[in-house]
Amino acid sequence: MTDTHYRPRRSCLYMPASNKRALEKAKTLPADTIIFDLEDAVAPDAKEEARENACAALQSGDYGNRELVVRVNAMDTPWFAHDLRQACLSQADAVLVPKILNADDIIQITDFMEDLDASLDTQLWAMIEMPQAILKLAEIAALGPQRRLTTFVMGFNDLAKEMRADHDRAVFGSVMTQTVIAARAYGLNVIDSVYNDFNDPDGLAAECIEAKKLGFDGKSLIHPAQIETANRVFAPSADELAAAAAIIAAFADPVNAGKGVIVVDGKMTELLHLRQARQLVATAQAIATLAD
């Protein structure tokens, strides 16, 4: 398994677990992460079948290097406990829990996971889609190092509904920034919300570019047609990699041994830039590994 810190999550594709054809197709798709969805994409009378399908998929070994995540139903639903139990016992890479409200939710969920003796490799991802969660971002993120929590996933469809706001991305600018800051403060990954119009690649690309500038790791997707765009935008570009290589080489030069600040290509470059350069190169190498 790729190192968690550098694992690519450019494209995180929701697939309805009630649809066996979709799960079969996911085996061939170049998404970094497949999210087997038991929540929004599944009708109430299909919840149990979807759970069984997701567990079978997790245990099949047919998805290669893709990261496999299960989005369970919310904590206040009759399906939550069984969803979480079966996802953990089937050794999902992570469980994504919607409708998180506060830090207490994270504690309850991870206590349940510990009671199940869940694999230590099973992570917790949290949907950030409720106003209460926005007000508690730092408290939630602070639990990450001790509570399996590794990733925030934005959910603007539900947040817009809860806010009684138009679904206009401009409304969520401050929320995006706050979420990235909270995530990075405690070493969490952060994934952008879905783009609903899968027939509009230009609109999708614009959102991906914006999210990358803000510091997001990738984008959650609702259709296979969106994968290529997300993979391309969130991957390090050739220019970025060339600049990173120059920084790494400059700091490795014996002339610069022990220096905290040097000049690279006419720019003042510090050790923090070296760390960023190494992370960029590691990300590119992880992407190449996924493609093998």
Side-chain angles (χ1 to χ4, degrees):
M1 181 178 293
T2 305
D3 184 86
T4 300
H5 187 63
Y6 295 121
R7 183 164 197 153
R9 294 182 177 89
R10 301 165 298 168
S11 50
C12 301
L13 178 66
Y14 290 108
M15 297 297 273
S18 55
N19 186 334
K20 288 186 177 181
R21 289 181 60 188
L23 299 187
E24 187 67 24
K25 183 175 183 178
K27 297 176 183 179
T28 66
L29 297 173
D32 292 340
T33 302
I34 301 294
I35 303 175
F36 300 128
D37 194 7
L38 307 182
E39 194 212 12
D40 285 347
V42 178
D45 60 358
K47 296 288 189 183
E48 292 188 12
E49 178 186 4
R51 185 192 304 128
E52 292 174 2
N53 292 344
C55 291
L58 289 168
Q59 296 172 327
S60 70
D62 293 339
Y63 290 83
N65 291 326
R66 296 169 187 81
E67 184 176 37
L68 302 181
V69 178
V70 178
R71 179 163 71 170
V72 301
N73 288 281
M75 295 176 70
D76 62 353
T77 69
W79 306 288
F80 167 74
H82 208 111
D83 287 351
L84 182 60
R85 175 183 175 82
Q86 293 305 116
C88 288
L89 293 179
S90 298
Q91 296 188 325
D93 289 317
V95 288
L96 171 58
V97 182
K99 311 296 190 294
I100 293 295
L101 300 179
N102 51 47
D104 285 343
D105 285 351
I106 303 298
I107 293 170
Q108 290 183 46
I109 293 165
T110 51
D111 281 348
F112 189 10
M113 293 172 75
E114 293 296 331
D115 288 343
L116 293 172
D117 195 25
S119 166
L120 293 178
D121 290 333
T122 301
Q123 305 166 11
L124 173 61
W125 292 19
M127 291 288 298
I128 304 301
E129 57 185 346
M130 302 295 285
Q132 296 96 318
I134 303 302
L135 296 175
K136 302 290 186 179
L137 280 169
E139 295 175 23
I140 295 170
L143 291 175
Q146 297 84 29
R147 287 283 175 171
R148 298 175 182 253
L149 178 64
T150 64
T151 304
F152 281 161
V153 181
M154 306 301 307
F156 291 146
N157 287 332
D158 279 280
L159 185 57
K161 179 187 70 176
E162 295 293 327
M163 291 171 59
R164 303 177 191 172
D166 291 341
H167 199 290
D168 180 345
R169 191 166 171 89
V171 171
F172 306 116
S174 62
V175 170
M176 294 171 73
T177 301
Q178 290 177 60
T179 304
V180 172
I181 290 172
R184 298 310 186 208
Y186 296 98
L188 273 59
N189 309 298
V190 58
I191 308 299
D192 192 19
S193 185
V194 299
Y195 185 68
N196 294 318
D197 187 352
F198 55 82
N199 290 313
D200 179 16
D202 292 338
L204 172 65
E207 285 201 359
C208 289
I209 291 169
E210 177 191 30
K212 183 180 180 182
K213 287 181 178 178
L214 287 172
F216 283 84
D217 296 290
K219 193 162 183 67
S220 49
L221 311 174
I222 58 171
H223 194 280
Q226 298 177 319
I227 296 172
E228 187 280 330
T229 298
N231 281 351
R232 172 173 47 81
V233 173
F234 284 100
S237 68
D239 288 344
E240 288 173 328
L241 287 172
I247 291 171
I248 293 170
F251 273 101
D253 189 327
V255 173
N256 295 319
K259 293 182 179 179
V261 181
I262 61 176
V263 177
V264 181
D265 293 333
K267 298 178 181 178
M268 297 300 295
T269 305
E270 303 177 22
L271 289 175
L272 69 90
H273 299 113
L274 176 61
R275 290 191 292 271
Q276 290 171 338
R278 287 173 173 165
Q279 181 170 339
L280 197 73
V281 170
T283 299
Q285 291 172 342
I287 291 170
T289 299
L290 287 180
D292 290 341

